[in-house]
Amino acid sequence: MCGIFGISSTKPISNQLIKGLSKLEYRGYDSAGISGHGIKNQLVTIKATGPIKNLNSKLYKLQGITTGISHTRWATHGQPTLKNTHPHLSGDICTVHNGIIENYMDLKSYLKKKSFVFKSDTDSEVICHLINYYFSKSANMQSAIISTANSLEGSYALAAINAQTPHTIYSACKGSPIILGKDVSSNYISSDMTPIVDHTKNYIPMDDNEFSEISSSDIKIFNKNKRVLSKPTKVSKINKNQASLMGHKHFMHKEIYEQKAIIEDMINRYVGKNKILPNIFGHSTDKLLEDIKHIHFVACGTSYHASLVAKDWIEQFTTVTCTAEVASEYKYKKINVLPDTLFVSISQSGETADTISSLKKALKLKYTNTLAICNVAESTLTRLSGMNFLMNAGPEISVASTKAFTSQLFTLLLLTAIISRRYDNTEKRMVQDIRKIGKKIEELYEMEPEIKKISTKFKNKEHTLFLGKGASYPIALEAALKLKEISYIHASAYHSGELKHGPLALVDRRMPVVCFLPDNHLARLVLSNLAEVEARQGQTFIFTNKKIAKNKKQVKVIKMPDCPDLIVPILYIIPAQLLSYHVAIKKKTDVDKPRNLAKSVTVE
Ligand code: F6R
């Protein structure tokens, strides 16, 4: 979703701004713009809809600028047109904004009465006019930004420059992150670390209701009372080389192929011979997990699907009861927290607005503690959560999540094993199964040519059904999500037993039905459900092992390696990821940046 990047330096910065914006591309956007202090400090702005490269032909206008702000916009209020593209301008002031201003209509009518003229349909433009309005009264940018923030309802990360106060970038944030990067003769402001790590690893995250003023030589952070805050500088662990294609055609493909190494690395770090290593979720967490009786999982999208698998695992192997809620629902529900309940949020980015506000709500409830399972160390979620587990899967650039999902599943498997420690030999048996995952993933990659062939059968379809039972049901949900996200084919997932309660009406010889059928105690039941599909001549595609495949000669079977039931969800999703990838390639969609979607969903 929208991204902000700004630099104040002693040297020209226009090329660096463009490069920084490209680093934010993965978040999803549909237009982009840059403003800076030009000759005699007058503001110069360039904007373009579509890809960032469309700014290149206008870049000459920014030649020589040393302080500037830039923005990628993912349309919420108002279409992706030039007039709605940030930065917005009001008098001598330019602003960029991430988030949503909930009271923008009231503010707009107030400002219109004060003769401010609105040029866009966005909620964001009110910010620019408000700063201008308050600056005209106080002639002080700090006061103007604080008064503006006091008037705003909703979430914002905003950056502003003023022609009257050159070489300085002002910012404020609430509910949407801002990170400040610190270097010797340049300082940076950004929505996340990705563009900053190209220049420096030193950063200071801003907290809600904080304000900042940066120049090439100084970073000042202050609160609503203008009290200067002394905040420690942190050192980022992000490696800038991780975000390149390394010979793959798409990030999604690269990330699918990274899964084996990531999981093997996690095994080396966290798994002992017969036990999970002590306190991997943080100091004294084994003791805490020993006493936990309930878990509330909260997440969105793919991360939510991971929580559904975790619920299945934990309830199957322990007496701990779990709920798994979509974050956008959790926030608005009455939540009953029983004693000894742990809150677990799961998020790749750690910046998903719904998940963050759910965690904020949870922090006010009587949970034993809050645990965030996340892939981004310097994220808002990890800063707020009581306990953290960093997956260290490396930056996930493709909008469609793959390696984050299997890393989340792996982490949740570790959690399950630790909780199961209370019961006899369960942890030891789980560890033996966990150790097999890497080798089994290797076998899955060999299936790619076959999957590629099968993808042809989906290319011209408009609808697909995915079926699963037990822990394979969330895998069906995730596989359906992958297919619809990147190939734009409608896909629905069902518990296989639910088919006869309605969806079976959709099945005829044109309907592809994909089924995840591991060889376990549920297989017999799923086979009966599949018989219902076959009787209606649906086109079945079954992911199963050799033994079951033997009796299914008449349908398309994708033979999976034999594996312990515990690790089925981690293994079965990988060929499904490859299937979606190849269908999308055949449909010539933008695999890594599917239409209408954003990588970091920073609005509620
Ligand atoms: C799907 C996908 C999304 C995210 C969801 C939550 O491929 O990536 O469904 O899983 O937006 O994002 P995070 O995990 O960053 O909180």
Side-chain angles (χ1 to χ4, degrees), residues 179-184 186-188 192-205 219 232-242 377-378 395:
I179 311 247
L180 305 175
K182 203 171 168 187
D183 208 353
V184 183
S186 304
N187 287 310
Y188 305 86
D192 64 43
M193 276 306 289
T194 359
I196 294 181
V197 284
D198 275 349
H199 307 280
T200 174
K201 290 209 164 203
N202 299 326
Y203 74 99
I204 307 171
I219 292 185
T233 302
K234 302 186 174 196
V235 180
S236 172
K237 294 189 188 111
I238 297 174
N239 171 358
K240 64 179 175 183
N241 296 325
Q242 283 174 319
E378 294 96 18

Side-chain angles (χ1 to χ4, degrees), residues 1-2 74 76 98-100 155 175-176 331 351-354 600-604:
M1 247 163 216
C2 302
W74 187 81
T76 55
N98 290 358
I100 288 187
S155 60
S176 194
K331 271 183 329 186
E351 299 299 350
T352 303
D354 288 323
S600 271
V601 186
T602 50
V603 294
E604 293 187 10

Side-chain angles (χ1 to χ4, degrees), residues 150-404:
N150 285 338
S151 313
L152 301 176
E153 285 169 22
S155 60
Y156 52 82
L158 67 92
I161 50 175
N162 184 341
Q164 295 183 40
T165 60
H167 315 302
T168 309
I169 302 174
Y170 304 88
S171 70
C173 73
K174 185 180 147 211
S176 194
I178 288 191
I179 311 247
L180 305 175
K182 203 171 168 187
D183 208 353
V184 183
S185 53
S186 304
N187 287 310
Y188 305 86
I189 167 169
S190 181
S191 312
D192 64 43
M193 276 306 289
T194 359
I196 294 181
V197 284
D198 275 349
H199 307 280
T200 174
K201 290 209 164 203
N202 299 326
Y203 74 99
I204 307 171
M206 280 174 64
D207 287 312
D208 279 0
N209 302 313
E210 287 182 351
F211 302 83
S212 72
E213 204 178 294
I214 72 165
S215 63
S216 60
S217 56
D218 195 22
I219 292 185
K220 204 184 287 165
I221 302 177
F222 49 96
N223 67 10
K224 279 194 172 176
N225 305 319
K226 290 196 189 171
R227 191 167 67 81
V228 175
L229 308 171
S230 115
K231 298 189 72 171
T233 302
K234 302 186 174 196
V235 180
S236 172
K237 294 189 188 111
I238 297 174
N239 171 358
K240 64 179 175 183
N241 296 325
Q242 283 174 319
S244 67
L245 277 165
M246 311 285 283
H248 292 262
K249 272 209 175 118
H250 297 95
F251 280 106
M252 183 178 179
H253 197 259
K254 176 190 169 225
E255 287 159 9
I256 291 173
Y257 272 81
E258 282 173 346
Q259 296 178 103
K260 175 179 181 269
I262 293 166
I263 289 189
E264 284 182 336
D265 178 54
M266 287 174 106
I267 292 176
N268 289 337
R269 268 186 293 149
Y270 303 121
V271 185
K273 194 158 167 254
N274 296 314
K275 278 172 114 20
I276 308 303
L277 297 180
N279 295 317
I280 62 164
F281 289 101
H283 182 62
S284 298
T285 46
D286 282 0
K287 174 79 191 80
L288 183 146
L289 292 172
E290 207 174 281
D291 299 332
I292 275 308
K293 294 198 177 78
H294 315 280
I295 299 181
H296 288 178
F297 288 105
V298 174
C300 302
T302 290
S303 303
Y304 167 68
H305 297 157
S307 76
L308 289 175
V309 177
K311 174 176 158 59
D312 194 280
W313 275 333
I314 293 172
E315 292 189 339
Q316 204 187 130
F317 294 103
T318 78
T319 54
V320 171
T321 59
C322 303
T323 61
E325 288 278 358
V326 166
S328 54
E329 291 295 316
Y330 177 90
K331 271 183 329 186
Y332 299 105
K333 277 178 102 160
K334 178 174 176 284
I335 305 294
N336 297 320
V337 183
L338 295 170
D340 302 315
T341 304
L342 176 67
F343 176 91
V344 180
S345 58
I346 308 172
S347 172
Q348 188 285 129
S349 61
E351 299 299 350
T352 303
D354 288 323
T355 312
I356 291 169
S357 36
S358 295
L359 171 59
K360 285 182 180 165
K361 173 174 174 168
L363 287 168
K364 293 188 194 132
L365 299 174
K366 288 202 160 66
Y367 285 105
T368 301
N369 209 332
T370 56
L371 165 67
I373 295 174
C374 193
N375 193 33
V376 181
E378 294 96 18
S379 63
T380 309
L381 203 71
T382 54
R383 285 204 298 275
L384 295 177
S385 182
M387 298 150 60
N388 283 303
F389 184 91
L390 276 180
M391 301 184 307
N392 283 314
E396 191 178 62
I397 306 294
S398 161
V399 165
S401 186
T402 53
K403 64 175 180 175

